[in-house]
Amino acid sequence: MKTFPELYTNRLKLRKVATDDLNALVRYANNKKISENILNITYPYKEEDAAFWIDLAIKTYASGERVVFAINLKELSEFIGAIGLRIDTRHNHAELGYWIGEPFWGKGLMTEAVKEVLKFGFGTLHLHKIFATVFTDNSASERTLINNGLVKEGELVDQYKVDDVYKTVYQYRLTKQEYEKAISPI
């Protein structure tokens, strides 16, 4: 894929991350509640962190390692969060990651974005499996995965060290066969 894809849902536009997103990225990512649940978002989150992340998103798309979408509400042109797939071509699977700014929590927006990215991952990228991990105390993110048909496949005890505390995560998955079974009418 040379041209970056744009995806649309009822309320969202998922598009290429751009340098123009820097200010909104800092505004929404600079939140302790977000950094507590996203491994690669530090707190405080500064302009240099945002610039590094934007550059990484652009470069890793060019290399085929990741597809990272900026999330916009259709009626706004402003960045409000991100969702992406870290692709492992050898094993034909990808890890799903996402976050959205706190003012947009509890509106079902991330569930909508995940649904569209799953469709893209299985339909366009022809992935065999998409998986995600979620900290055990992040019930909102866990609901997002469950609402999109992902299946809990395990608990990874003390998987990550965050601020000198080991944190356990649940891993969820969806194979292409499970996805197709879930979306096809009976």
Side-chain angles (χ1 to χ4, degrees):
M1 284 187 307
K2 297 264 184 199
T3 304
F4 195 91
E6 287 189 350
L7 308 178
Y8 296 89
T9 71
N10 287 338
R11 299 179 288 170
L12 302 173
K13 175 181 178 180
L14 307 179
R15 58 155 176 88
K16 184 178 183 175
V17 173
T19 55
D20 291 349
D21 296 324
L22 190 131
N23 290 335
L25 171 56
V26 172
R27 183 170 54 256
Y28 293 125
N30 188 31
N31 182 329
K32 184 76 171 148
K33 294 176 189 175
I34 289 176
S35 70
E36 289 172 346
N37 288 300
I38 307 295
L39 285 172
N40 63 353
I41 295 182
T42 58
Y43 182 81
Y45 195 81
K46 300 176 182 150
E47 282 189 20
E48 53 267 24
D49 301 316
F52 175 82
W53 181 82
I54 289 168
D55 186 56
L56 182 69
I58 293 167
K59 285 180 179 172
T60 55
Y61 177 75
S63 70
E65 297 170 58
R66 295 175 196 248
V67 180
V68 179
F69 296 94
I71 301 172
N72 284 57
L73 290 173
K74 278 185 179 176
E75 69 266 14
L76 301 175
S77 61
E78 184 181 67
F79 175 101
I80 63 167
I83 185 167
L85 296 168
R86 185 177 52 134
I87 301 165
D88 181 336
T89 55
R90 178 173 180 227
H91 299 291
N92 195 29
H93 66 222
E95 182 175 12
L96 172 69
Y98 52 84
W99 69 273
I100 197 164
E102 188 174 5
F104 308 98
W105 292 0
K107 300 175 185 336
L109 295 169
M110 192 52 74
T111 297
E112 207 172 296
V114 168
K115 181 179 182 180
E116 197 62 25
V117 169
L118 291 173
K119 180 179 169 185
F120 172 78
F122 291 120
T124 302
L125 299 180
H126 306 289
L127 294 169
H128 174 71
K129 177 180 177 178
I130 297 174
F131 66 95
T133 58
V134 58
F135 289 122
T136 57
D137 59 353
N138 189 348
S139 59
S141 187
E142 193 173 11
R143 272 192 313 278
T144 295
L145 297 173
I146 292 167
N147 288 341
N148 276 287
L150 279 83
V151 178
K152 185 188 283 186
E153 63 180 356
E155 181 177 326
L156 308 174
V157 176
D158 292 349
Q159 182 72 7
Y160 298 107
K161 188 176 181 182
V162 180
D163 297 329
D164 292 325
V165 176
Y166 290 96
K167 293 189 80 172
T168 299
V169 294
Y170 296 131
Q171 182 162 305
Y172 280 81
R173 66 125 208 291
L174 194 60
T175 65
K176 185 169 187 166
Q177 183 178 14
E178 290 167 334
Y179 175 77
E180 289 172 346
K181 185 177 179 184
I183 62 164
S184 62
I186 296 176

